[in-house]
Amino acid sequence: MEETYKDRTSLVKGAKDIAKEVKRQAVKKVNKAVDKAQDGYTQRSYNRFQDEEDDDDYYVQGGNYSVGANDDEGSSEATEGHDEDDEIYEGEYQGIPNMGQGKDGVVALGQPMRDEYKDRHELEMERKADEEELAQQYELIIQECGHGRFQWALFFVLGMALMADGVEVFVVGFVLPSAETDMCIPNSGSGWLGSIVYLGMMVGAFFWGGLADKVGRRQSLLICMSVNGFFAFLSSFVQGYGFFLFCRLFSGFGIGGAMPTVFSYFSEVLAREKRGEHLSWLCMFWMIGGIYASAMAWAIIPHYGWSFSMGSAYQFHSWRVFVIVCALPCVSSVVALTFMPESPRFLLEVGKHDEAWMILKQIHDTNMRARGQPEKVFTVNRIKTPKQIDELIEIESDTGTWYRRCFVRIRTELYGIWLTFMRCFNYPVKDNTIKLTAVWFTLSFGYYGLSVWFPDVIKHLQSDEYASRVKHFRNEEVSNFVFNFTLENQIHSSGEYINDRFVMMKFKSVTFEDSLFKNCVFEDITSLNTYFRNCTFVNTTFYNTDLEQYKFVDSELINCTFFHIRTGCQISFDDDYSAYWIYFVNFLGTLAVLPGNIVSALLMDRIGRLTMLGGSMVLSGISCFFLWFGTSESMMIGMLCLYNGLTISAWNSLEVITVELYPTDRRATGFGFLNALCKAAAVLGNLIFGSLVGITKAIPILLASTVLVCGGLVGLRLPDTRTQVLM
């Protein structure tokens, strides 16, 4: 009886095994037929990669390059409705069924468990496997598309956006003195302009980077650059300081998204062997933006010829023209971006296979035509798309009105950005995020801190030299004399001026102390840093001057008359050597970055990102000690050029490493977070280093050197991404 039962059991088991094998063979045949029917793009198979890469682990057995069409996936796409025992026994992911399958209630073989019956962890594991397969296949596709005209066109378009980011950083420093004077900003509020722009850039980097992972690189970049261009242009016309701050805040908010989106966008159309070099060349546009801003400031701001006025209420000075000119790179990038497609890698990540395939075909055909090979056909049939996991979103019932719908949509997008950001601290990218945070913060703190410290030290040296050349005049008596020339850098003490006329003249850094003016006339006077301290004016007339009450310190005016007094703040750049000098110093400091950019681009893929990052930061820290010998303007300028030339290699390698360490669904978000942290460190560095100008050199040198060397050592602990495909 037992033998009969065993025979029956083995017979049943053998029958089940045969049935399962029959189902597998049937599934393979049906899958081939479905793949052939669904192939709407091309009739060619991917034979080239079959012959060259038969042994690769990401190809299906048998050599067919049909992305996402392995045997298991074919089972799911062609069949439905196998029993639960079979599913549990086989234990394999069968893929996503096509929309056209299972019609009319027909139950096919090999149906996987529905996604709604799977837990989230299982779905995420399936998506992760799909993403790993896509990473390998996408690299091969980009290699087939080649590197040519399309990448170079996108290179210049994105370069204009990066150039606008560099311009925005320099604009603040260049217009700050002029804007403060033009708008009569007190010293207590003068620091807000520099800080408000960095605050906007900090928030913008995080927001636009996260949005780029939600709606796409191209769309996010278009919106953020449009915001920057609009508010930058508007800020040049506003007259009030509060409104000007508002415009510059949103201008910074817009441009904050340029860097994380640009690098994510461009890296996704580059093959592995080209990525490090060409991302480094792209960094050069930031330097070009700085050179452009310095040159325009040098050419425009110090000249009255660029200004005009509309009555006494509206003044349009030269610095406002400079702001408009600096918005041109942003406008150019917006116009050019309208002709560029979305990143195909992003489209594949969100499941838009057809759109991604068409863009990849466009890249291939554009490059092949430029090479003189228009007959070469794009041979990709299908591309793997990761499993799409729907997010559960709570929708309020009261969404009938448009503003409620907008509120829900904005809240949903912000929540999605926050969830993506939190995933940057999940395994396996958590350790990389922490290390990158330390490197970004230290490099930004040291670089921006010393960058603001150098010009301030140079201005401090200039002020000391200017003060050392002041001329003193004591106990002079002048009567019946006409002053019609410029007085500059002078101090007049205990003088008497009787029946004198001061006509058509300028006072620049002139101080009168304990002096008497009797029966004098001041007519058509322009003054800058000029004060009358403890002076007495008797029967004196002031006509068409800018000598307001605050310039008479502890002075007594007896029977004096004022006609047509010019109120407000006056801008004067005539013969202003210091204005030209500051622009020229920034121009040289930015130009010194060029050799470092070239070296980093040529060596990025040869010596590796980590070697360049760590070596550049350590050398920059060591170079800080040369500041001990900076006792003159020329020596400080030399130190500034050396420092900028060394740190640029660290910036380039850090940006390349950042885009390569994050997967596609978190790349722009992670980059945006780190860039926002960079701006926060810049503000902190400006405050700390700026407060030490003229006090001591020891603290800035030791502080900058320490943070740079420590950051470089942490950077050496990052994983090497030179040989990795873009995950």
Side-chain angles (χ1 to χ4, degrees):
M1 185 68 178
E2 291 181 358
E3 293 180 358
T4 304
Y5 178 76
K6 290 180 180 180
D7 292 341
R8 183 179 179 184
T9 302
S10 60
L11 180 62
V12 170
K13 183 177 180 181
K16 284 187 176 181
D17 291 340
I18 295 173
K20 289 178 181 178
E21 185 63 26
V22 170
K23 282 195 291 183
R24 287 180 179 274
Q25 296 298 327
V27 162
K28 290 182 180 180
K29 292 180 180 180
V30 174
N31 180 52
K32 291 180 180 179
V34 171
D35 286 345
K36 185 175 180 181
Q38 291 179 339
D39 185 7
Y41 304 115
T42 177
Q43 296 300 319
R44 295 189 55 183
S45 65
Y46 211 58
N47 293 325
R48 183 165 69 86
F49 288 105
Q50 293 176 11
D51 298 335
E52 296 177 358
E53 305 289 346
D54 269 339
D55 295 330
D56 288 357
D57 58 351
Y58 46 83
Y59 285 103
V60 298
Q61 294 181 358
N64 289 329
Y65 185 84
S66 182
V67 182
N70 56 33
D71 291 346
D72 294 339
E73 290 177 359
S75 301
S76 66
E77 291 182 358
T79 61
E80 291 184 354
H82 66 288
D83 56 28
E84 294 181 359
D85 293 337
D86 290 341
E87 180 182 15
I88 295 173
Y89 177 81
E90 293 177 8
E92 54 188 359
Y93 167 56
Q94 301 291 337
I96 304 173
N98 288 334
M99 295 298 293
Q101 296 170 356
K103 294 181 179 179
D104 300 327
V106 178
V107 179
L109 300 175
Q111 165 94 15
M113 181 189 293
R114 293 177 179 269
D115 287 347
E116 54 264 30
Y117 297 116
K118 299 180 181 179
D119 59 21
R120 187 172 184 85
H121 177 71
E122 185 178 358
L123 293 173
E124 288 178 349
M125 293 300 296
E126 292 176 359
R127 178 178 173 84
K128 183 179 179 180
D130 293 343
E131 288 174 341
E132 292 175 354
E133 183 179 349
L134 171 62
Q136 303 292 338
Q137 295 166 350
Y138 187 82
E139 177 66 28
L140 292 175
I141 296 171
I142 287 295
Q143 289 178 5
E144 183 188 354
C145 293
H147 188 92
R149 178 179 294 175
F150 179 88
Q151 281 85 356
W152 284 112
L154 186 62
F155 172 80
F156 286 105
V157 172
L158 298 180
M160 294 299 292
L162 202 59
M163 179 179 172
D165 182 86
V167 168
E168 186 74 17
V169 172
F170 284 89
V171 163
V172 178
F174 291 154
V175 305
L176 187 58
S178 304
E180 290 174 352
T181 305
D182 189 20
M183 298 180 179
C184 304
I185 303 170
N187 292 332
S188 60
S190 60
W192 275 102
L193 181 56
S195 301
I196 204 75
V197 173
Y198 277 100
L199 176 62
M201 296 175 74
M202 179 175 63
V203 178
F206 182 81
F207 175 77
W208 298 113
L211 193 66
D213 284 332
K214 298 288 290 181
V215 303
R217 283 74 164 109
R218 175 182 174 273
Q219 187 172 352
S220 177
L221 188 60
L222 266 174
I223 299 173
C224 76
M225 296 303 294
S226 299
V227 170
N228 170 251
F230 174 77
F231 283 100
F233 185 79
L234 184 62
S235 68
S236 65
F237 293 96
V238 300
Q239 295 292 302
Y241 184 53
F243 198 17
F244 183 76
L245 284 179
F246 175 81
C247 291
R248 296 315 302 184
L249 171 65
F250 276 89
S251 175
F253 173 73
I255 200 63
M259 188 168 289
T261 310
V262 161
F263 281 97
S264 300
Y265 194 172
F266 195 51
S267 66
E268 292 169 358
V269 296
L270 295 174
R272 177 175 51 197
E273 64 272 10
K274 298 285 186 180
R275 194 162 53 239
E277 177 184 353
H278 286 270
L279 285 175
S280 299
W281 289 122
L282 185 66
C283 296
M284 190 176 294
F285 279 94
W286 198 92
M287 174 206 68
I288 296 173
I291 294 175
Y292 174 81
S294 302
M296 292 299 101
W298 194 6
I300 295 175
I301 294 181
H303 299 288
Y304 275 122
W306 294 86
S307 307
F308 68 89
S309 61
M310 298 173 62
S312 60
Y314 189 86
Q315 304 290 329
F316 196 90
H317 293 292
S318 56
W319 68 268
R320 298 179 182 272
V321 180
F322 167 71
V323 172
I324 293 179
V325 172
C326 286
L328 295 180
C330 177
V331 176
S332 302
S333 67
V334 171
V335 174
L337 270 172
T338 58
F339 299 97
M340 303 308 296
E342 180 58 83
S343 165
R345 181 61 186 273
F346 168 79
L347 294 175
L348 289 172
E349 198 71 24
V350 297
K352 298 182 179 180
H353 173 276
D354 295 353
E355 296 178 33
W357 188 92
M358 293 298 294
I359 293 172
L360 288 169
K361 185 177 185 302
Q362 176 188 349
I363 297 174
H364 175 274
D365 294 346
T366 301
N367 292 339
M368 293 304 108
R369 284 195 300 268
R371 293 180 182 179
Q373 300 174 326
E375 71 283 354
K376 199 166 185 179
V377 179
F378 186 54
T379 57
V380 176
N381 290 340
R382 290 191 301 154
I383 310 171
K384 184 71 176 180
T385 55
K387 174 180 285 294
Q388 302 303 304
I389 304 176
D390 295 331
E391 299 287 346
L392 295 177
I393 302 173
E394 182 180 354
I395 302 295
E396 297 182 9
S397 59
D398 185 16
T399 57
T401 58
W402 65 269
Y403 57 86
R404 294 292 298 176
R405 290 194 296 269
C406 291
F407 173 76
V408 171
R409 177 64 183 273
I410 293 173
R411 187 183 64 179
T412 302
E413 293 295 339
L414 291 177
Y415 182 67
I417 292 173
W418 177 255
L419 289 180
T420 306
F421 166 66
M422 294 305 296
R423 291 173 60 211
C424 294
F425 292 91
N426 293 342
Y427 180 83
V429 297
K430 178 181 178 179
D431 291 341
N432 295 336
T433 299
I434 295 173
K435 293 175 184 176
L436 285 171
T437 298
V439 178
W440 273 88
F441 184 87
T442 53
L443 181 57
S444 178
F445 181 83
Y447 175 78
Y448 284 102
L450 282 185
S451 294
V452 74
W453 187 73
F454 274 115
D456 286 346
V457 169
I458 293 174
K459 287 191 289 185
H460 183 72
L461 293 173
Q462 287 180 335
S463 299
D464 290 345
E465 182 184 0
Y466 189 77
S468 66
R469 293 187 283 108
V470 65
K471 297 178 181 179
H472 291 269
F473 299 89
R474 294 181 176 86
N475 301 318
E476 59 181 355
E477 296 181 2
V478 182
S479 61
N480 299 311
F481 186 79
V482 178
F483 293 86
N484 56 1
F485 47 86
T486 299
L487 298 180
E488 180 179 0
N489 198 19
Q490 299 176 4
I491 297 177
H492 298 260
S493 302
S494 303
E496 292 185 2
Y497 305 90
I498 310 299
N499 294 323
D500 294 327
R501 292 175 58 86
F502 300 84
V503 182
M504 299 289 293
M505 64 179 301
K506 297 178 181 179
F507 293 98
K508 183 177 180 182
S509 299
V510 178
T511 302
F512 291 91
E513 298 176 343
D514 303 315
S515 299
L516 171 64
F517 296 85
K518 186 176 181 179
N519 298 325
C520 295
V521 175
F522 290 82
E523 183 178 355
D524 296 326
I525 302 298
T526 301
S527 62
L528 184 66
N529 295 328
T530 298
Y531 300 95
F532 299 88
R533 302 182 187 277
N534 199 28
C535 296
T536 302
F537 294 84
V538 180
N539 296 326
T540 300
T541 302
F542 298 89
Y543 179 82
N544 194 28
T545 70
D546 61 358
L547 300 176
E548 299 185 63
Q549 292 297 323
Y550 72 91
K551 295 187 178 182
F552 300 94
V553 181
D554 297 327
S555 297
E556 185 178 5
L557 287 81
I558 303 173
N559 197 23
C560 298
T561 56
F562 292 83
F563 299 98
H564 301 290
I565 300 301
R566 297 195 301 270
T567 60
C569 306
Q570 306 297 323
I571 296 181
S572 175
F573 285 102
D574 289 1
D575 303 322
D576 191 350
Y577 173 74
S578 62
Y580 288 96
W581 184 248
I582 292 300
Y583 304 145
F584 182 67
V585 168
N586 280 278
F587 179 82
L588 290 179
T590 309
L591 192 62
V593 171
L594 180 61
N597 258 317
I598 296 175
V599 170
S600 64
L602 296 178
L603 299 181
M604 185 68 70
D605 289 319
R606 289 178 172 84
I607 68 175
R609 291 89 158 110
L610 299 184
T611 303
M612 183 168 294
L613 173 63
S616 178
M617 292 186 69
V618 171
L619 290 176
S620 299
I622 295 174
S623 70
C624 293
F625 288 99
F626 289 100
L627 297 175
W628 287 109
F629 308 103
T631 57
S632 64
E633 295 178 24
S634 58
M635 294 184 68
M636 291 301 297
I637 293 174
M639 296 299 102
L640 172 65
C641 294
L642 175 64
Y643 179 74
N644 287 351
L646 290 174
T647 53
I648 191 62
S649 298
W651 280 115
N652 292 357
S653 55
L654 182 59
E655 287 156 355
V656 173
I657 291 173
T658 301
V659 298
E660 292 179 337
L661 282 180
Y662 283 106
T664 302
D665 61 343
R666 282 164 280 181
R667 182 170 296 119
T669 302
F671 202 117
F673 160 69
L674 295 170
N675 199 247
L677 184 71
C678 165
K679 298 302 184 290
V683 173
L684 184 62
N686 290 345
L687 294 175
I688 294 177
F689 284 83
S691 63
L692 299 173
V693 173
I695 300 176
T696 177
K697 285 184 179 180
I699 296 178
I701 291 174
L702 293 176
L703 186 59
S705 178
T706 301
V707 298
L708 287 172
V709 171
C710 292
L713 296 178
V714 173
L716 292 174
R717 304 294 297 173
L718 289 166
D720 190 6
T721 58
R722 182 170 32 165
T723 59
Q724 293 182 4
V725 297
L726 203 63
M727 297 303 297

